[in-house]
PDB file of all heavy atoms in Angstrom:
ATOM      1  N   GLU A  13     -69.001  15.830  -0.310  1.00  0.00           N
ATOM      2  CA  GLU A  13     -68.968  16.477  -1.542  1.00  0.00           C
ATOM      3  C   GLU A  13     -70.069  17.514  -1.680  1.00  0.00           C
ATOM      4  O   GLU A  13     -71.159  17.359  -1.188  1.00  0.00           O
ATOM      5  CB  GLU A  13     -69.088  15.495  -2.746  1.00  0.00           C
ATOM      6  CG  GLU A  13     -67.958  14.519  -2.913  1.00  0.00           C
ATOM      7  CD  GLU A  13     -68.140  13.588  -4.058  1.00  0.00           C
ATOM      8  OE1 GLU A  13     -69.154  13.750  -4.808  1.00  0.00           O
ATOM      9  OE2 GLU A  13     -67.286  12.717  -4.263  1.00  0.00           O
ATOM     10  N   THR A  14     -69.721  18.665  -2.329  1.00  0.00           N
ATOM     11  CA  THR A  14     -70.745  19.739  -2.523  1.00  0.00           C
ATOM     12  C   THR A  14     -71.607  19.397  -3.713  1.00  0.00           C
ATOM     13  O   THR A  14     -71.114  19.042  -4.781  1.00  0.00           O
ATOM     14  CB  THR A  14     -70.008  21.071  -2.797  1.00  0.00           C
ATOM     15  OG1 THR A  14     -69.168  21.368  -1.646  1.00  0.00           O
ATOM     16  CG2 THR A  14     -71.049  22.186  -2.953  1.00  0.00           C
ATOM     17  N   GLN A  15     -72.910  19.438  -3.511  1.00  0.00           N
ATOM     18  CA  GLN A  15     -73.800  19.167  -4.588  1.00  0.00           C
ATOM     19  C   GLN A  15     -74.670  20.416  -4.878  1.00  0.00           C
ATOM     20  O   GLN A  15     -75.103  21.040  -3.946  1.00  0.00           O
ATOM     21  CB  GLN A  15     -74.770  18.020  -4.179  1.00  0.00           C
ATOM     22  CG  GLN A  15     -74.035  16.669  -4.002  1.00  0.00           C
ATOM     23  CD  GLN A  15     -74.947  15.556  -3.592  1.00  0.00           C
ATOM     24  OE1 GLN A  15     -76.144  15.723  -3.516  1.00  0.00           O
ATOM     25  NE2 GLN A  15     -74.451  14.342  -3.497  1.00  0.00           N
ATOM     26  N   THR A  16     -74.796  20.726  -6.093  1.00  0.00           N
ATOM     27  CA  THR A  16     -75.657  21.857  -6.579  1.00  0.00           C
ATOM     28  C   THR A  16     -77.121  21.511  -6.451  1.00  0.00           C
ATOM     29  O   THR A  16     -77.525  20.443  -6.996  1.00  0.00           O
ATOM     30  CB  THR A  16     -75.253  22.326  -7.943  1.00  0.00           C
ATOM     31  OG1 THR A  16     -73.853  22.613  -8.018  1.00  0.00           O
ATOM     32  CG2 THR A  16     -76.057  23.533  -8.349  1.00  0.00           C
ATOM     33  N   THR A  17     -77.857  22.352  -5.796  1.00  0.00           N
ATOM     34  CA  THR A  17     -79.276  22.027  -5.653  1.00  0.00           C
ATOM     35  C   THR A  17     -80.029  23.182  -6.284  1.00  0.00           C
ATOM     36  O   THR A  17     -79.658  24.329  -6.402  1.00  0.00           O
ATOM     37  CB  THR A  17     -79.715  21.931  -4.170  1.00  0.00           C
ATOM     38  OG1 THR A  17     -79.387  23.158  -3.493  1.00  0.00           O
ATOM     39  CG2 THR A  17     -78.918  20.806  -3.488  1.00  0.00           C
ATOM     40  N   SER A  18     -81.262  22.835  -6.703  1.00  0.00           N
ATOM     41  CA  SER A  18     -82.186  23.868  -7.274  1.00  0.00           C
ATOM     42  C   SER A  18     -83.562  23.519  -6.718  1.00  0.00           C
ATOM     43  O   SER A  18     -84.028  22.384  -6.904  1.00  0.00           O
ATOM     44  CB  SER A  18     -82.200  23.854  -8.773  1.00  0.00           C
ATOM     45  OG  SER A  18     -83.073  24.820  -9.287  1.00  0.00           O
ATOM     46  N   PRO A  19     -84.232  24.452  -6.141  1.00  0.00           N
ATOM     47  CA  PRO A  19     -83.805  25.863  -5.921  1.00  0.00           C
ATOM     48  C   PRO A  19     -82.665  25.904  -4.909  1.00  0.00           C
ATOM     49  O   PRO A  19     -82.387  24.888  -4.219  1.00  0.00           O
ATOM     50  CB  PRO A  19     -85.077  26.497  -5.371  1.00  0.00           C
ATOM     51  CG  PRO A  19     -85.839  25.376  -4.690  1.00  0.00           C
ATOM     52  CD  PRO A  19     -85.544  24.150  -5.526  1.00  0.00           C
ATOM     53  N   PRO A  20     -82.068  27.118  -4.793  1.00  0.00           N
ATOM     54  CA  PRO A  20     -80.954  27.291  -3.782  1.00  0.00           C
ATOM     55  C   PRO A  20     -81.372  26.872  -2.340  1.00  0.00           C
ATOM     56  O   PRO A  20     -82.586  26.945  -1.972  1.00  0.00           O
ATOM     57  CB  PRO A  20     -80.644  28.811  -3.871  1.00  0.00           C
ATOM     58  CG  PRO A  20     -81.120  29.204  -5.178  1.00  0.00           C
ATOM     59  CD  PRO A  20     -82.360  28.363  -5.405  1.00  0.00           C
ATOM     60  N   MET A  21     -80.401  26.420  -1.564  1.00  0.00           N
ATOM     61  CA  MET A  21     -80.655  26.013  -0.213  1.00  0.00           C
ATOM     62  C   MET A  21     -81.038  27.154   0.735  1.00  0.00           C
ATOM     63  O   MET A  21     -80.457  28.233   0.556  1.00  0.00           O
ATOM     64  CB  MET A  21     -79.382  25.337   0.345  1.00  0.00           C
ATOM     65  CG  MET A  21     -79.541  24.819   1.818  1.00  0.00           C
ATOM     66  SD  MET A  21     -77.971  24.133   2.425  1.00  0.00           S
ATOM     67  CE  MET A  21     -77.730  22.751   1.311  1.00  0.00           C
ATOM     68  N   ASP A  22     -82.057  26.952   1.462  1.00  0.00           N
ATOM     69  CA  ASP A  22     -82.451  27.985   2.495  1.00  0.00           C
ATOM     70  C   ASP A  22     -81.540  27.788   3.688  1.00  0.00           C
ATOM     71  O   ASP A  22     -81.099  26.690   3.999  1.00  0.00           O
ATOM     72  CB  ASP A  22     -83.911  27.794   2.912  1.00  0.00           C
ATOM     73  CG  ASP A  22     -84.846  28.191   1.792  1.00  0.00           C
ATOM     74  OD1 ASP A  22     -84.483  29.051   0.966  1.00  0.00           O
ATOM     75  OD2 ASP A  22     -85.947  27.625   1.763  1.00  0.00           O
ATOM     76  N   ILE A  23     -81.272  28.886   4.387  1.00  0.00           N
ATOM     77  CA  ILE A  23     -80.488  28.891   5.606  1.00  0.00           C
ATOM     78  C   ILE A  23     -81.390  29.230   6.744  1.00  0.00           C
ATOM     79  O   ILE A  23     -82.097  30.287   6.690  1.00  0.00           O
ATOM     80  CB  ILE A  23     -79.317  29.910   5.569  1.00  0.00           C
ATOM     81  CG1 ILE A  23     -78.383  29.498   4.389  1.00  0.00           C
ATOM     82  CG2 ILE A  23     -78.568  29.880   6.863  1.00  0.00           C
ATOM     83  CD1 ILE A  23     -77.222  30.485   4.222  1.00  0.00           C
ATOM     84  N   VAL A  24     -81.477  28.435   7.759  1.00  0.00           N
ATOM     85  CA  VAL A  24     -82.331  28.646   8.864  1.00  0.00           C
ATOM     86  C   VAL A  24     -81.508  29.187  10.042  1.00  0.00           C
ATOM     87  O   VAL A  24     -80.487  28.675  10.454  1.00  0.00           O
ATOM     88  CB  VAL A  24     -83.016  27.307   9.378  1.00  0.00           C
ATOM     89  CG1 VAL A  24     -83.854  27.601  10.585  1.00  0.00           C
ATOM     90  CG2 VAL A  24     -83.826  26.705   8.241  1.00  0.00           C
ATOM     91  N   TRP A  25     -81.847  30.445  10.477  1.00  0.00           N
ATOM     92  CA  TRP A  25     -81.157  31.093  11.614  1.00  0.00           C
ATOM     93  C   TRP A  25     -81.909  30.812  12.896  1.00  0.00           C
ATOM     94  O   TRP A  25     -83.121  30.898  12.937  1.00  0.00           O
ATOM     95  CB  TRP A  25     -81.015  32.579  11.331  1.00  0.00           C
ATOM     96  CG  TRP A  25     -80.174  32.928  10.242  1.00  0.00           C
ATOM     97  CD1 TRP A  25     -80.512  33.127   8.906  1.00  0.00           C
ATOM     98  CD2 TRP A  25     -78.715  33.085  10.233  1.00  0.00           C
ATOM     99  NE1 TRP A  25     -79.432  33.366   8.125  1.00  0.00           N
ATOM    100  CE2 TRP A  25     -78.369  33.377   8.924  1.00  0.00           C
ATOM    101  CE3 TRP A  25     -77.812  33.072  11.255  1.00  0.00           C
ATOM    102  CZ2 TRP A  25     -77.025  33.596   8.600  1.00  0.00           C
ATOM    103  CZ3 TRP A  25     -76.490  33.350  10.959  1.00  0.00           C
ATOM    104  CH2 TRP A  25     -76.070  33.574   9.613  1.00  0.00           C
ATOM    105  N   PHE A  26     -81.218  30.579  13.954  1.00  0.00           N
ATOM    106  CA  PHE A  26     -81.827  30.360  15.252  1.00  0.00           C
ATOM    107  C   PHE A  26     -80.817  30.736  16.272  1.00  0.00           C
ATOM    108  O   PHE A  26     -79.682  30.789  16.070  1.00  0.00           O
ATOM    109  CB  PHE A  26     -82.329  28.927  15.420  1.00  0.00           C
ATOM    110  CG  PHE A  26     -81.225  27.965  15.372  1.00  0.00           C
ATOM    111  CD1 PHE A  26     -80.585  27.464  16.500  1.00  0.00           C
ATOM    112  CD2 PHE A  26     -80.840  27.409  14.123  1.00  0.00           C
ATOM    113  CE1 PHE A  26     -79.564  26.585  16.405  1.00  0.00           C
ATOM    114  CE2 PHE A  26     -79.782  26.474  14.089  1.00  0.00           C
ATOM    115  CZ  PHE A  26     -79.203  26.020  15.190  1.00  0.00           C
ATOM    116  N   LYS A  27     -81.380  31.061  17.498  1.00  0.00           N
ATOM    117  CA  LYS A  27     -80.551  31.492  18.642  1.00  0.00           C
ATOM    118  C   LYS A  27     -80.163  30.309  19.503  1.00  0.00           C
ATOM    119  O   LYS A  27     -81.141  29.513  19.884  1.00  0.00           O
ATOM    120  CB  LYS A  27     -81.220  32.544  19.456  1.00  0.00           C
ATOM    121  CG  LYS A  27     -81.260  33.960  18.781  1.00  0.00           C
ATOM    122  CD  LYS A  27     -81.826  34.983  19.651  1.00  0.00           C
ATOM    123  CE  LYS A  27     -81.851  36.346  19.022  1.00  0.00           C
ATOM    124  NZ  LYS A  27     -82.374  37.399  19.974  1.00  0.00           N
ATOM    125  N   LEU A  28     -78.948  30.176  19.899  1.00  0.00           N
ATOM    126  CA  LEU A  28     -78.583  29.216  20.912  1.00  0.00           C
ATOM    127  C   LEU A  28     -78.808  29.754  22.225  1.00  0.00           C
ATOM    128  O   LEU A  28     -78.636  30.942  22.455  1.00  0.00           O
ATOM    129  CB  LEU A  28     -77.124  28.803  20.738  1.00  0.00           C
ATOM    130  CG  LEU A  28     -76.773  28.008  19.475  1.00  0.00           C
ATOM    131  CD1 LEU A  28     -75.284  27.962  19.272  1.00  0.00           C
ATOM    132  CD2 LEU A  28     -77.292  26.584  19.616  1.00  0.00           C
ATOM    133  N   PRO A  29     -79.225  28.935  23.193  1.00  0.00           N
ATOM    134  CA  PRO A  29     -79.503  29.425  24.545  1.00  0.00           C
ATOM    135  C   PRO A  29     -78.173  29.892  25.224  1.00  0.00           C
ATOM    136  O   PRO A  29     -77.104  29.453  24.880  1.00  0.00           O
ATOM    137  CB  PRO A  29     -80.083  28.246  25.339  1.00  0.00           C
ATOM    138  CG  PRO A  29     -79.505  27.053  24.593  1.00  0.00           C
ATOM    139  CD  PRO A  29     -79.391  27.478  23.152  1.00  0.00           C
ATOM    140  N   PRO A  30     -78.265  30.809  26.200  1.00  0.00           N
ATOM    141  CA  PRO A  30     -77.029  31.185  26.945  1.00  0.00           C
ATOM    142  C   PRO A  30     -76.485  29.933  27.702  1.00  0.00           C
ATOM    143  O   PRO A  30     -77.168  28.940  27.861  1.00  0.00           O
ATOM    144  CB  PRO A  30     -77.552  32.246  27.925  1.00  0.00           C
ATOM    145  CG  PRO A  30     -79.027  31.985  28.028  1.00  0.00           C
ATOM    146  CD  PRO A  30     -79.435  31.508  26.692  1.00  0.00           C
ATOM    147  N   LEU A  31     -75.285  30.089  28.136  1.00  0.00           N
ATOM    148  CA  LEU A  31     -74.558  28.950  28.764  1.00  0.00           C
ATOM    149  C   LEU A  31     -75.463  28.232  29.713  1.00  0.00           C
ATOM    150  O   LEU A  31     -75.792  28.720  30.765  1.00  0.00           O
ATOM    151  CB  LEU A  31     -73.253  29.389  29.431  1.00  0.00           C
ATOM    152  CG  LEU A  31     -72.267  30.058  28.479  1.00  0.00           C
ATOM    153  CD1 LEU A  31     -70.996  30.428  29.224  1.00  0.00           C
ATOM    154  CD2 LEU A  31     -71.966  29.159  27.381  1.00  0.00           C
ATOM    155  N   ALA A  32     -75.733  26.973  29.405  1.00  0.00           N
ATOM    156  CA  ALA A  32     -76.794  26.251  30.172  1.00  0.00           C
ATOM    157  C   ALA A  32     -76.318  25.899  31.593  1.00  0.00           C
ATOM    158  O   ALA A  32     -77.076  25.661  32.429  1.00  0.00           O
ATOM    159  CB  ALA A  32     -77.208  25.014  29.418  1.00  0.00           C
ATOM    160  N   HIS A  33     -74.951  25.862  31.799  1.00  0.00           N
ATOM    161  CA  HIS A  33     -74.514  25.450  33.099  1.00  0.00           C
ATOM    162  C   HIS A  33     -74.591  26.576  34.090  1.00  0.00           C
ATOM    163  O   HIS A  33     -74.365  26.389  35.286  1.00  0.00           O
ATOM    164  CB  HIS A  33     -73.126  24.850  33.024  1.00  0.00           C
ATOM    165  CG  HIS A  33     -72.032  25.962  32.719  1.00  0.00           C
ATOM    166  ND1 HIS A  33     -71.552  26.123  31.470  1.00  0.00           N
ATOM    167  CD2 HIS A  33     -71.355  26.746  33.541  1.00  0.00           C
ATOM    168  CE1 HIS A  33     -70.733  27.124  31.496  1.00  0.00           C
ATOM    169  NE2 HIS A  33     -70.553  27.497  32.768  1.00  0.00           N
ATOM    170  N   ARG A  34     -74.930  27.734  33.672  1.00  0.00           N
ATOM    171  CA  ARG A  34     -75.015  28.885  34.613  1.00  0.00           C
ATOM    172  C   ARG A  34     -76.297  28.835  35.427  1.00  0.00           C
ATOM    173  O   ARG A  34     -76.246  28.776  36.624  1.00  0.00           O
ATOM    174  CB  ARG A  34     -75.030  30.233  33.833  1.00  0.00           C
ATOM    175  CG  ARG A  34     -73.781  30.470  32.978  1.00  0.00           C
ATOM    176  CD  ARG A  34     -72.609  30.583  33.883  1.00  0.00           C
ATOM    177  NE  ARG A  34     -71.374  30.919  33.126  1.00  0.00           N
ATOM    178  CZ  ARG A  34     -70.165  31.000  33.614  1.00  0.00           C
ATOM    179  NH1 ARG A  34     -69.956  30.755  34.872  1.00  0.00           N
ATOM    180  NH2 ARG A  34     -69.145  31.308  32.832  1.00  0.00           N
ATOM    181  N   ARG A  35     -77.442  28.839  34.793  1.00  0.00           N
ATOM    182  CA  ARG A  35     -78.716  28.802  35.536  1.00  0.00           C
ATOM    183  C   ARG A  35     -79.733  28.034  34.733  1.00  0.00           C
ATOM    184  O   ARG A  35     -79.914  28.335  33.534  1.00  0.00           O
ATOM    185  CB  ARG A  35     -79.177  30.211  35.905  1.00  0.00           C
ATOM    186  CG  ARG A  35     -78.427  30.852  37.021  1.00  0.00           C
ATOM    187  CD  ARG A  35     -78.814  30.150  38.319  1.00  0.00           C
ATOM    188  NE  ARG A  35     -77.996  30.686  39.427  1.00  0.00           N
ATOM    189  CZ  ARG A  35     -76.968  30.101  39.919  1.00  0.00           C
ATOM    190  NH1 ARG A  35     -76.501  29.061  39.328  1.00  0.00           N
ATOM    191  NH2 ARG A  35     -76.315  30.634  40.950  1.00  0.00           N
ATOM    192  N   GLY A  36     -80.530  27.225  35.399  1.00  0.00           N
ATOM    193  CA  GLY A  36     -81.655  26.519  34.758  1.00  0.00           C
ATOM    194  C   GLY A  36     -82.884  27.051  35.293  1.00  0.00           C
ATOM    195  O   GLY A  36     -82.974  27.899  36.125  1.00  0.00           O
ATOM    196  N   PRO A  37     -84.036  26.452  34.907  1.00  0.00           N
ATOM    197  CA  PRO A  37     -85.303  26.880  35.305  1.00  0.00           C
ATOM    198  C   PRO A  37     -85.579  26.722  36.761  1.00  0.00           C
ATOM    199  O   PRO A  37     -86.415  27.357  37.393  1.00  0.00           O
ATOM    200  CB  PRO A  37     -86.240  26.033  34.449  1.00  0.00           C
ATOM    201  CG  PRO A  37     -85.495  24.903  34.038  1.00  0.00           C
ATOM    202  CD  PRO A  37     -84.095  25.338  33.881  1.00  0.00           C
ATOM    203  N   ASP A  38     -84.833  25.741  37.384  1.00  0.00           N
ATOM    204  CA  ASP A  38     -85.005  25.512  38.794  1.00  0.00           C
ATOM    205  C   ASP A  38     -84.102  26.318  39.689  1.00  0.00           C
ATOM    206  O   ASP A  38     -83.982  26.103  40.865  1.00  0.00           O
ATOM    207  CB  ASP A  38     -84.828  24.019  39.128  1.00  0.00           C
ATOM    208  CG  ASP A  38     -83.437  23.532  38.685  1.00  0.00           C
ATOM    209  OD1 ASP A  38     -82.682  24.320  38.130  1.00  0.00           O
ATOM    210  OD2 ASP A  38     -83.168  22.391  38.987  1.00  0.00           O
ATOM    211  N   GLY A  39     -83.383  27.334  39.025  1.00  0.00           N
ATOM    212  CA  GLY A  39     -82.462  28.152  39.783  1.00  0.00           C
ATOM    213  C   GLY A  39     -81.066  27.523  39.865  1.00  0.00           C
ATOM    214  O   GLY A  39     -80.165  28.146  40.479  1.00  0.00           O
ATOM    215  N   GLY A  40     -80.846  26.359  39.396  1.00  0.00           N
ATOM    216  CA  GLY A  40     -79.600  25.677  39.462  1.00  0.00           C
ATOM    217  C   GLY A  40     -78.979  25.653  38.071  1.00  0.00           C
ATOM    218  O   GLY A  40     -79.123  26.603  37.261  1.00  0.00           O
ATOM    219  N   GLY A  41     -78.274  24.545  37.714  1.00  0.00           N
ATOM    220  CA  GLY A  41     -77.523  24.536  36.450  1.00  0.00           C
ATOM    221  C   GLY A  41     -78.317  23.963  35.334  1.00  0.00           C
ATOM    222  O   GLY A  41     -77.763  23.713  34.275  1.00  0.00           O
ATOM    223  N   GLY A  42     -79.635  23.666  35.492  1.00  0.00           N
ATOM    224  CA  GLY A  42     -80.380  23.021  34.415  1.00  0.00           C
ATOM    225  C   GLY A  42     -79.894  21.576  34.230  1.00  0.00           C
ATOM    226  O   GLY A  42     -79.042  21.064  34.984  1.00  0.00           O
ATOM    227  N   ARG A  43     -80.467  20.825  33.331  1.00  0.00           N
ATOM    228  CA  ARG A  43     -79.994  19.500  33.054  1.00  0.00           C
ATOM    229  C   ARG A  43     -78.661  19.521  32.407  1.00  0.00           C
ATOM    230  O   ARG A  43     -78.301  20.423  31.679  1.00  0.00           O
ATOM    231  CB  ARG A  43     -81.036  18.785  32.125  1.00  0.00           C
ATOM    232  CG  ARG A  43     -82.434  18.723  32.647  1.00  0.00           C
ATOM    233  CD  ARG A  43     -82.492  18.272  34.067  1.00  0.00           C
ATOM    234  NE  ARG A  43     -82.006  16.883  34.208  1.00  0.00           N
ATOM    235  CZ  ARG A  43     -81.782  16.332  35.373  1.00  0.00           C
ATOM    236  NH1 ARG A  43     -81.994  17.022  36.541  1.00  0.00           N
ATOM    237  NH2 ARG A  43     -81.334  15.064  35.494  1.00  0.00           N
ATOM    238  N   ALA A  44     -77.844  18.562  32.677  1.00  0.00           N
ATOM    239  CA  ALA A  44     -76.496  18.546  32.231  1.00  0.00           C
ATOM    240  C   ALA A  44     -76.321  17.915  30.881  1.00  0.00           C
ATOM    241  O   ALA A  44     -75.189  17.677  30.421  1.00  0.00           O
ATOM    242  CB  ALA A  44     -75.601  17.773  33.183  1.00  0.00           C
ATOM    243  N   ARG A  45     -77.373  17.753  30.122  1.00  0.00           N
ATOM    244  CA  ARG A  45     -77.218  17.070  28.806  1.00  0.00           C
ATOM    245  C   ARG A  45     -76.531  17.996  27.816  1.00  0.00           C
ATOM    246  O   ARG A  45     -76.003  17.560  26.837  1.00  0.00           O
ATOM    247  CB  ARG A  45     -78.618  16.746  28.235  1.00  0.00           C
ATOM    248  CG  ARG A  45     -79.319  15.626  29.000  1.00  0.00           C
ATOM    249  CD  ARG A  45     -80.597  15.182  28.386  1.00  0.00           C
ATOM    250  NE  ARG A  45     -81.174  14.055  29.143  1.00  0.00           N
ATOM    251  CZ  ARG A  45     -80.819  12.750  28.892  1.00  0.00           C
ATOM    252  NH1 ARG A  45     -79.870  12.456  28.076  1.00  0.00           N
ATOM    253  NH2 ARG A  45     -81.432  11.851  29.635  1.00  0.00           N
ATOM    254  N   ASN A  46     -76.443  19.281  28.065  1.00  0.00           N
ATOM    255  CA  ASN A  46     -75.667  20.225  27.211  1.00  0.00           C
ATOM    256  C   ASN A  46     -74.555  20.834  27.980  1.00  0.00           C
ATOM    257  O   ASN A  46     -74.129  21.890  27.637  1.00  0.00           O
ATOM    258  CB  ASN A  46     -76.570  21.227  26.562  1.00  0.00           C
ATOM    259  CG  ASN A  46     -77.428  21.968  27.564  1.00  0.00           C
ATOM    260  OD1 ASN A  46     -77.384  21.667  28.785  1.00  0.00           O
ATOM    261  ND2 ASN A  46     -78.172  22.948  27.111  1.00  0.00           N
ATOM    262  N   VAL A  47     -74.089  20.186  29.073  1.00  0.00           N
ATOM    263  CA  VAL A  47     -72.920  20.579  29.805  1.00  0.00           C
ATOM    264  C   VAL A  47     -71.881  19.508  29.724  1.00  0.00           C
ATOM    265  O   VAL A  47     -72.198  18.394  30.001  1.00  0.00           O
ATOM    266  CB  VAL A  47     -73.258  20.886  31.296  1.00  0.00           C
ATOM    267  CG1 VAL A  47     -72.054  21.257  32.066  1.00  0.00           C
ATOM    268  CG2 VAL A  47     -74.341  22.010  31.405  1.00  0.00           C
TER     269      VAL A  47
END
């Protein structure tokens, strides 16, 4: 259910990383927890 809040809700913007299965920090696919 939608609830009215006061003060208005803040929206937090953030960037998602590029496709993690492409390349990880070790030059491979990175950890598979997000693949």
Side-chain angles (χ1 to χ4, degrees):
E13 292 183 3
T14 303
Q15 296 182 356
T16 303
T17 60
S18 181
M21 182 184 296
D22 290 332
I23 300 176
V24 179
W25 293 92
F26 59 95
K27 288 186 176 181
L28 291 167
L31 298 183
H33 69 265
R34 298 296 184 187
R35 282 289 176 263
D38 58 356
R43 302 310 298 169
R45 292 187 177 276
N46 52 357
V47 176

